[in-house]
Amino acid sequence: MGSNYNPKLSIVRVENLRLRAFIGFIDWETEKLQDVIISFSFKYDTSLASQTDHVENAVDYKNITKGIIDLVDHKSFHLIESMAEKIYDHIQSVGAQLQNIKVQVEKPHALRFADNVMVQIDGRDRYNTAIIALGSNINSEENFNKALTLLQQIGFIMHRSAFIKTKPLKFEDQPEFLNGAVLLNTKKSLSEVKMHLKQIEALLGRVRTSNKNAPREIDLDVTTYNGFMVDKEIREFPFLIEFVHQLQPEIQIPS
């Protein structure tokens, strides 16, 4: 993640997907199909998709919609809250890059004298979970404390790994690093968290040079986000794998 990280966010919205489901807990509701109307939207960084005009660089909203149809159509639910939550989980499972997910489920004519009843989920109201890795070999303990204080401005630190000293791996002619990680609960999206980390690095005096492995005041990276592995180079740093095992042991680390 370079200092010029600047995502171009766009909204994808699908409106009024009309399906039929058994919805309700009264006897007749469990036996008769009823109409439901589903709308959803999400944001993602479309810079690569728009630059290349290649479908493989875009989020496949058609496949997401097909998954919702499979999940809902002619299926049984007692509550529209439950249906909306399953749809939200389905969209979120596509990847960490999807943010500000919104889901609306309408049940027309569910109440006398009313057009419909609806449930809305707004992802901005939900907490996201991220592992943030920290590294420093310039005034490391002081800069760790400053970084931890600033991280609390964007979320709640729920757990922290052991903070350990490690030898430099790629550029060895420099002091040892202090490394650690924290488990953060935040309402910030992945792109917002990345921007905040860049800001904290700049505030603590990090200056990037052509040597990306040079000594540094602080290095902050998103390792995982909502259960997704974000750091694609994790296998190159064995201590990062140990941090994930300590903080989110349920996450499978790709080989």
Side-chain angles (χ1 to χ4, degrees):
M1 184 175 62
S3 58
N4 58 351
Y5 176 69
N6 185 21
K8 294 181 178 178
L9 298 174
S10 301
I11 299 174
V12 175
R13 179 180 292 115
V14 175
E15 295 184 325
N16 299 329
L17 176 64
R18 299 175 187 277
L19 303 175
R20 307 203 80 200
F22 301 100
I23 183 163
F25 49 86
I26 301 172
D27 286 346
W28 73 265
E29 290 179 314
T30 65
E31 299 170 354
K32 182 180 178 181
L33 287 167
Q34 298 184 73
D35 294 334
V36 291
I37 303 173
I38 298 165
S39 300
F40 64 91
S41 65
F42 54 84
K43 289 182 181 178
Y44 78 104
D45 181 2
T46 56
S47 54
L48 185 59
S50 58
Q51 180 183 352
T52 63
D53 201 27
H54 290 164
V55 67
E56 59 265 27
N57 295 324
V59 172
D60 188 347
Y61 55 81
K62 183 178 180 180
N63 194 47
I64 293 175
T65 304
K66 182 177 181 301
I68 293 173
I69 294 171
D70 293 340
L71 192 65
V72 172
D73 202 40
H74 285 67
K75 301 299 192 304
S76 298
F77 300 86
H78 284 167
L79 302 170
I80 56 174
E81 291 92 333
S82 174
M83 180 187 294
E85 194 68 39
K86 290 181 185 302
I87 294 169
Y88 182 88
D89 289 344
H90 167 68
I91 299 171
Q92 191 178 46
S93 71
V94 171
Q97 75 274 27
L98 270 62
Q99 60 190 66
N100 291 359
I101 299 169
K102 294 181 180 179
V103 173
Q104 175 176 294
V105 177
E106 300 175 67
K107 184 182 177 184
H109 313 301
L111 291 176
R112 292 182 64 189
F113 312 121
D115 289 341
N116 61 15
V117 173
M118 70 174 69
V119 169
Q120 296 176 318
I121 297 176
D122 188 334
R124 294 173 299 181
D125 297 326
R126 304 289 179 95
Y127 279 100
N128 305 291
T129 302
I131 291 180
I132 309 297
L134 303 88
S136 171
N137 65 349
I138 299 177
N139 298 327
S140 56
E141 292 187 3
E142 178 184 345
N143 282 318
F144 256 52
N145 288 331
K146 290 179 179 177
L148 291 171
T149 299
L150 292 170
L151 280 173
Q152 293 175 74
Q153 295 180 6
I154 63 170
F156 298 96
I157 295 175
M158 308 306 290
H159 298 288
R160 48 166 278 190
S161 71
F163 290 174
I164 60 173
K165 291 278 189 177
T166 63
K167 295 185 180 299
L169 295 177
K170 295 185 177 179
F171 176 60
E172 297 181 356
D173 188 20
Q174 58 179 324
E176 286 187 328
F177 277 86
L178 179 64
N179 285 294
V182 296
L183 184 65
L184 190 74
N185 278 7
T186 177
K187 288 188 176 180
K188 302 294 184 185
S189 66
L190 176 58
S191 62
E192 289 172 329
V193 171
K194 288 182 176 180
M195 295 286 277
H196 277 285
L197 298 189
K198 304 312 303 174
Q199 182 185 46
I200 293 172
E201 289 179 346
L203 290 173
L204 296 191
R206 180 174 181 183
V207 177
R208 294 178 183 275
T209 66
S210 57
N211 180 4
K212 60 181 294 188
N213 299 305
R216 67 209 67 177
E217 286 79 4
I218 195 71
D219 187 14
L220 299 169
D221 288 299
V222 183
T223 304
T224 70
Y225 188 85
N226 282 342
F228 292 97
M229 187 59 60
V230 175
D231 189 342
K232 304 303 182 187
E233 299 179 344
I234 189 170
R235 284 287 176 189
E236 299 180 23
F237 302 95
F239 55 85
L240 282 181
I241 296 174
E242 179 58 30
F243 294 158
V244 174
H245 287 326
Q246 291 178 26
L247 298 175
Q248 288 187 300
E250 70 278 10
I251 290 184
Q252 298 293 319
I253 298 175
S255 55

